[in-house]
Amino acid sequence: MLRSNIPSYEITPKTLYLSRRDFMKTSALLASGALLAACVPSDLSQLSRSPSISPTLLTDTLTSYEAITTYNNYYEFSMDKQAVARLAQKFRPRPWEVHIDGLVRRPKTYGIEDLLKRFPQEERIYRLRCVESWSMVIPWLGFPLANLLAEVEPTSDARFVRFVSILRPEEMPGQRDPFFDWPYQEGLRLDEAMHPLTILATGLYGELLPNQNGAPIRLVVPWKYGFKSIKGIVLIELAAAQPKTFWSTASPHEYGFYANVNPNVPHPRWSQATERRIGELGRRPTLMFNGYEAEVAHLYTGMDLTKNY
Ligand SMILES: Nc1nc2c(c(=O)[nH]1)N[C@H]1C(S)=C(S)[C@@H](COP(=O)(O)O)O[C@H]1N2
Ligand SMILES: [Mo]
């Protein structure tokens, strides 16, 4: 179930080994009722993991848990990536509700525990490419956004999906900065949102999502720059019009709506041709659509990607 039917995972034999070891560890925990009660949140009991991985294109290594959880962009806490983890420690990701409304036949509100029970959690290893030109490879746990959208039944007028993050200035010091238009917001076209690579992530490295990575639930759209992958989601709204986004509001000449990873279209402050993979030396070329071109290029047929950046 996990990774088997998505062809583009590029992982090394070392990663394969680590994933298998992690898989064994999780199975051992799940096999023991006592440990399950003591160590694994019951939410994760639905976790379905399969060690079957396509052996093709094994070139990327997983970024360490340490790096993924200590080098974070989460402006609600801080603009200093290395301060986010500490400032996010006191944030309370439970209880939590996600509302889904707008142009849908069945608007719904889910508690986070309902979401974890209702939608089987899969592991997805994706590259994450920040527009600041660094990247990581992250083993997420989550489920396709399409599964959730199917439950609310978008109407035929729905063409976009808007996502809104939590607003809690008491717990999130960055939200007291009046320069930004809080809360953080993002959007996708409905076909992008329905694409099987688009997931809602609830964990990473086999554990619940740490606060600094967007607990308890965040979007992951691996072919777009990292800022599209909005954290701490409380509202998902189906709409007819293209929603405004946090970054295109803050700096319209730098950020468009699409934000597809594209090495040929430079950002005003950063060439996008190459990237620095966190934990590795040197730079590597950035791949069109972050390496997911075969899966997603058809979504943009006929569009001028230099204009729709
Ligand atoms: N709500 C919210 N979501 C956010 C951000 C943010 O500041 N606030 N930063 C984005 C950016 S710029 C990136 S690169 C990724 C970073 O995710 P990570 O910290 O899990 O690697 O989260 C994205 N999601
Ligand atoms: Mo980013």
Side-chain angles (χ1 to χ4, degrees):
M1 321 216 116
L2 6 164
R3 15 195 164 167
S4 42
N5 41 17
I6 308 245
S8 71
Y9 302 132
E10 297 175 14
I11 46 180
T12 59
K14 180 165 161 241
T15 300
L16 185 63
Y17 161 71
L18 287 172
S19 312
R20 284 200 168 130
R21 204 182 53 171
D22 195 29
F23 168 68
M24 310 271 287
K25 201 172 72 188
T26 306
S27 318
L29 283 173
L30 294 177
S32 154
L35 274 174
L36 181 66
C39 305
V40 180
S42 60
D43 319 322
L44 290 184
S45 60
Q46 296 248 338
L47 175 60
S48 56
R49 314 189 104 205
S50 146
S52 62
I53 299 167
S54 153
T56 54
L57 300 168
L58 305 177
T59 59
D60 286 19
T61 307
L62 288 188
T63 303
S64 71
Y65 182 84
E66 164 78 12
I68 294 170
T69 58
T70 57
Y71 188 84
N72 301 100
N73 270 334
Y74 204 163
Y75 274 45
E76 283 86 336
F77 291 103
S78 175
M79 301 204 300
D80 173 356
K81 288 185 231 315
Q82 266 127 341
V84 169
R86 179 177 48 82
L87 291 168
Q89 283 322 295
K90 280 191 271 173
F91 181 77
R92 288 170 295 108
R94 283 171 171 71
W96 191 276
E97 283 184 342
V98 180
H99 304 275
I100 306 177
D101 60 24
L103 300 175
V104 299
R105 260 179 227 102
R106 302 176 191 282
K108 286 201 163 90
T109 296
Y110 296 90
I112 187 67
E113 316 301 335
D114 308 338
L115 281 174
L116 285 157
K117 270 191 223 111
R118 190 169 203 97
F119 301 99
Q121 308 294 303
E122 311 169 19
E123 183 166 82
R124 296 282 183 97
I125 298 172
Y126 286 157
R127 286 177 291 272
L128 176 91
R129 170 60 160 78
C130 177
V131 73
E132 296 160 344
S133 74
W134 53 266
S135 64
M136 299 190 187
V137 180
I138 304 181
W140 301 107
L141 292 175
F143 58 96
L145 174 60
N147 295 359
L148 181 62
L149 293 175
E151 285 215 339
V152 296
E153 300 178 24
T155 67
S156 56
D157 313 335
R159 292 195 48 236
F160 293 91
V161 186
R162 173 178 171 243
F163 303 86
V164 183
S165 296
I166 185 126
L167 184 65
R168 257 192 221 171
E170 340 62 75
E171 286 181 49
M172 303 176 115
Q175 286 185 338
R176 297 176 218 144
D177 180 346
F179 172 79
F180 291 107
D181 185 21
W182 304 107
Y184 198 99
Q185 296 191 42
E186 258 305 338
L188 294 173
R189 237 170 40 196
L190 184 56
D191 58 344
E192 298 176 321
M194 296 291 288
H195 193 283
L197 287 175
T198 304
I199 60 167
L200 287 170
T202 56
L204 60 82
Y205 266 105
E207 293 171 10
L208 289 176
L209 213 52
N211 288 344
Q212 59 269 35
N213 296 93
I217 188 162
R218 57 95 56 86
L219 186 68
V220 180
V221 195
W223 71 94
K224 293 179 179 281
Y225 292 118
F227 65 83
K228 297 296 284 185
S229 292
I230 179 175
K231 299 175 173 182
I233 297 171
V234 292
L235 173 63
I236 299 175
E237 189 185 71
L238 283 283
Q242 182 176 301
K244 69 172 190 176
T245 69
F246 182 80
W247 285 110
S248 61
T249 304
S251 190
H253 71 286
E254 292 189 320
Y255 301 104
F257 178 77
Y258 283 92
N260 292 314
V261 174
N262 188 338
N264 309 312
V265 177
H267 180 279
R269 284 180 281 151
W270 303 285
S271 156
Q272 298 297 6
T274 64
E275 66 201 56
R276 180 170 59 94
R277 179 65 54 80
I278 301 299
E280 292 178 11
L281 296 171
R283 298 181 75 86
R284 58 171 69 215
T286 286
L287 304 174
M288 188 64 200
F289 295 111
N290 204 21
Y292 302 97
E293 186 170 14
E295 290 84 1
V296 303
H298 69 274
L299 296 171
Y300 310 102
T301 312
M303 270 176 62
D304 181 345
L305 298 177
T306 62
K307 292 204 182 93
N308 296 283
Y309 55 85

